[in-house]
Amino acid sequence: MFKPGEVLVQGEHIAEVGPAVKHPAGAEVIDLGDRTLLPGLIDAHIHLFLHPGAEDLQTVQESVPERTIMATLGARDDLMAGFTAERDMGTEGAGSADTAVRDAIDQGRIPGPRLRISGNAINILGGHEDAIGYNPEQHVLANADYANNADELVTAMRRQFKEGADFIKIYETGPDSVRDGKFTTIYQYTEAQLEAAVKDATRLGRKVAVHATGEPGTLFAAQAGVASIDHADQLSDETMRLMKEKQIFAVPTFTIFEYFAEHAATPQQAAREHQMLDLKVEEFKKQIAAGVPMAVGSDVGPFPHGTQAREFVLMVKYGMSPLAVLQADLLNGAKLLGWEGQIGALEPGYLADVIAVTGDPLQDIGALQNASFVMKGGVIYKK
Ligand SMILES: [Zn+2]
């Protein structure tokens, strides 16, 4: 940490960082006054292809072209909020349309964060993300690709990689329920099936992430060696031990839980969502105490893109220090997204993903909710 701080950017990369750096002749000087410079923020759990409103119906009612246009707007909003790198955890029924969005961003044709994408997520027949409750004659499409055993998992993954996925997202648990303070969730794949998935992804140098909220699904995922356990509402002692040992990240996604609790359709539903959030907060404290490594992901999409810096505020509110949350976001996020040593720090040789906020996020983490300067790869998007 420097005060004052200067960053010299050359092309896409950072050349020098310190209290004062070289000012080469002809360099453009941007004076951001007393604002705080930080590495671009990382959101490890997003959905560009979702927007507020009935999630399950978006697949049914909206065409993939329509959803792709919406995704480009979401990508722009996230970038303008200071998120320069994101991991998209599933198009939810838009197949591999995220490949086009990622590539257009990479080619500089549209503004957006650098992306790691997963295409559709993977799910079992009749599972958490299947289209249940419709007239069977309508043949309503599921929000995820089907795989019912290890062989089918590997086949679905290879198809997704072929179509452009960077990593694989698997639904490992759901639906969830809380009754009398007791949380339960149904698992979808066995440990052996997840292990087969992780093995084939590893063969290609890729990762597997799971939506997993509780036991025994989270234990199966930790045993199989996934890269992250997303939501991670309730973890057993053994799961937490394995996550610490194998450096498997928990991605709590508090913002979506808060949003659902505050935007429930009925008072009964609101009470259920609040009960879930309360349980999650208690469990999060145990996870911090157990040394479970954390990454920061908001699950933005079902709530408006560009507003997800709320996740930092909630992680601090529920027990982490501002510094620990920033390290979880920037350092762990860079590792989880496979950009370790390239993003997540202001250091020579790193990509020039730089943002500025008013105030000191270490004193008030809420400062991250107002990024007023955004640079990605040396290109200024907001000033
Ligand atoms: Zn999600």
Side-chain angles (χ1 to χ4, degrees):
M1 284 181 267
F2 301 108
K3 198 177 183 178
E6 290 189 346
V7 178
L8 176 63
V9 174
Q10 273 172 347
E12 257 191 292
H13 292 95
I14 294 169
E16 216 184 309
V17 184
V21 298
K22 275 196 292 295
H23 286 224
E28 181 191 354
V29 177
I30 303 163
D31 183 353
L32 294 169
D34 61 359
R35 280 180 272 176
T36 304
L37 288 182
L38 296 147
L41 303 174
I42 298 171
D43 192 335
H45 190 131
I46 66 147
H47 296 278
L48 287 180
F49 284 74
L50 290 177
H51 58 80
E55 254 180 80
D56 47 345
L57 286 182
Q58 289 173 31
T59 301
V60 178
Q61 295 174 330
E62 299 168 11
S63 69
V64 171
E66 181 181 351
R67 297 185 67 199
T68 306
I69 290 168
M70 298 286 284
T72 64
L73 300 177
R76 178 203 60 193
D77 292 348
D78 288 357
L79 179 66
M80 294 309 169
F83 290 87
T84 53
E86 295 186 324
R87 190 176 64 143
D88 193 303
M89 293 293 286
T91 61
E92 307 259 341
S96 56
D98 50 355
T99 300
V101 176
R102 177 201 57 198
D103 292 352
I105 291 169
D106 285 349
Q107 291 156 12
R109 286 186 278 141
I110 57 170
R114 46 185 95 254
L115 290 178
R116 294 300 194 200
I117 59 166
S118 58
N120 258 357
I122 301 175
N123 186 46
I124 56 171
L125 185 65
H128 183 46
E129 281 295 308
D130 204 350
I132 297 169
Y134 296 100
N135 172 1
E137 294 307 310
Q138 295 289 356
H139 301 291
V140 172
L141 299 174
N143 275 349
D145 291 344
Y146 292 116
N148 288 302
N149 53 50
D151 286 347
E152 287 180 16
L153 259 177
V154 169
T155 302
M157 287 168 54
R158 289 179 183 173
R159 189 184 312 112
Q160 293 185 352
F161 284 138
K162 176 183 170 184
E163 294 178 10
D166 297 307
F167 72 98
I168 297 300
K169 150 102 176 256
I170 294 174
Y171 279 98
E172 171 56 2
T173 68
D176 307 332
S177 70
V178 189
R179 215 164 284 155
D180 305 324
K182 202 178 156 0
F183 176 79
T184 54
T185 188
I186 297 165
Y187 79 88
Q188 304 211 125
Y189 296 102
T190 64
E191 193 261 321
Q193 289 166 342
L194 289 178
E195 204 179 297
V198 171
K199 234 182 189 165
D200 205 54
T202 305
R203 180 179 67 80
L204 299 164
R206 310 291 181 88
K207 297 177 183 183
V208 173
V210 290
H211 164 119
T213 53
E215 301 299 348
T218 43
L219 177 62
F220 294 163
Q223 286 170 331
V226 300
S228 69
I229 294 180
D230 289 61
H231 310 305
D233 300 341
Q234 191 168 54
L235 308 172
S236 69
D237 291 345
E238 175 62 4
T239 301
M240 291 193 280
R241 189 191 67 75
L242 282 173
M243 289 174 75
K244 185 181 176 190
E245 180 188 298
K246 298 184 179 184
Q247 287 296 294
I248 296 170
F249 298 109
V251 186
T253 66
F254 280 115
T255 317
I256 193 77
F257 285 83
E258 181 188 64
Y259 184 84
F260 284 151
E262 290 178 359
H263 294 80
T266 63
Q268 290 84 346
Q269 200 189 335
R272 268 202 307 277
E273 300 283 355
H274 274 291
Q275 198 182 7
M276 188 62 233
L277 180 58
D278 292 347
L279 178 138
K280 203 171 155 58
V281 169
E282 288 315 304
E283 295 295 321
F284 181 61
K285 290 178 175 155
K286 288 183 209 163
Q287 294 167 16
I288 297 168
V292 173
M294 297 282 167
V296 179
S298 67
D299 215 351
V300 71
F303 64 93
H305 280 283
T307 66
Q308 69 261 46
R310 175 77 182 155
E311 187 68 20
F312 297 102
V313 176
L314 294 178
M315 287 175 84
V316 170
K317 178 178 173 186
Y318 298 139
M320 285 173 80
S321 71
L323 181 61
V325 172
L326 274 170
Q327 288 171 331
D329 184 64
L330 300 169
L331 305 179
N332 293 351
K335 272 185 207 156
L336 180 53
L337 272 63
W339 278 310
E340 194 182 5
Q342 293 177 273
I343 64 168
L346 300 182
E347 284 195 50
Y350 276 57
L351 287 159
D353 293 358
V354 186
I355 65 162
V357 301
T358 302
D360 178 0
L362 295 181
Q363 301 301 318
D364 173 14
I365 196 76
L368 298 177
Q369 291 177 295
N370 291 300
S372 52
F373 173 87
V374 179
M375 170 185 276
K376 190 194 82 181
V379 176
I380 296 167
Y381 290 89
K382 185 177 184 180
K383 197 159 117 177

